[in-house]
Amino acid sequence: MRRLTSLALLLPMSLAACVAPMQSGMTGSGAIADLLDANGRPSGRAIITQSADGLWIDVTATGITPGDHGLHVHAVGQCTAPEFTSAGPHWNPGGHQHGRKNPQGTHAGDAPNLRADATGKGRLKSWLGAGTIANGPMALLDADGAAVVVHADPDDEMTDPTGKSGKRILCGVLRAR
Ligand SMILES: [Cu+2]
Ligand SMILES: [Zn+2]
């Protein structure tokens, strides 16, 4: 009985220790982008959160064709329609090749494909990789910022430097949140 009591006293403390890093990742150390299509139409949202193990991405996209779409963080925080080439190449502070399945990969900005359903809506939540939002050599929001881009075609997660993911159809400039 005495042993049970001391366990019950210890439990809340160990729980608090587990939860603390998650909370600090959710308050302040994040970035958000409103996605726009080539006509400037609101088309979803991207949120990037920093936690102890790196960056996490959560993207909701609307108004796109059903199926898989390449999704990346690009190196420049500029989305000039309609081509969105202003967003630059994939965010790649580590100097790697493209693709999560590429032995020479991966870009820090490479996310898994985003799959849209029959209504043209999709959501992708994934661990992105090592990195930070604002500080250090792997900072996402560096001097020229960063953007989230959704592509017309699936990313083969292998072919350098773009994964053959085709046209850039949605783009959103990341800002600190
Ligand atoms: Cu891209
Ligand atoms: Zn890439």
Side-chain angles (χ1 to χ4, degrees):
M1 204 55 194
R2 183 176 292 266
R3 182 160 292 179
L4 268 179
T5 312
S6 54
L7 260 180
L9 282 171
L10 277 171
L11 197 57
M13 286 177 66
S14 48
L15 268 180
C18 289
V19 167
M22 225 194 269
Q23 281 175 340
S24 67
M26 287 169 137
T27 50
S29 52
I32 187 167
D34 299 311
L35 299 177
L36 301 173
D37 70 10
N39 298 311
R41 224 172 2 193
S43 304
R45 196 175 71 163
I47 294 172
I48 296 179
T49 312
Q50 187 182 332
S51 71
D53 58 354
L55 299 177
W56 290 76
I57 189 164
D58 182 355
V59 178
T60 305
T62 58
I64 59 179
T65 57
D68 284 352
H69 295 266
L71 169 67
H72 320 110
V73 178
H74 284 239
V76 183
Q78 256 186 60
C79 292
T80 307
E83 303 288 332
F84 300 128
T85 50
S86 56
H90 299 179
W91 180 48
N92 184 25
H96 298 291
Q97 288 192 18
H98 172 79
R100 292 186 161 217
K101 296 175 184 166
N102 182 340
Q104 311 296 324
T106 177
H107 297 146
D110 294 346
N113 283 295
L114 178 143
R115 178 165 295 174
D117 64 17
T119 71
K121 196 171 174 181
R123 184 170 189 186
L124 185 282
K125 290 166 79 171
S126 173
W127 183 69
L128 195 58
T132 57
I133 297 291
N135 301 308
M138 294 280 285
L140 180 68
L141 299 179
D142 57 358
D144 61 359
V148 172
V149 173
V150 176
H151 290 260
D153 302 325
D155 183 340
D156 67 13
E157 301 190 60
M158 179 73 84
T159 308
D160 195 60
T162 64
K164 297 183 178 168
S165 50
K167 279 174 57 178
R168 304 175 179 195
I169 56 172
L170 306 180
C171 190
V173 176
L174 285 159
R175 60 185 190 274
R177 71 190 291 245

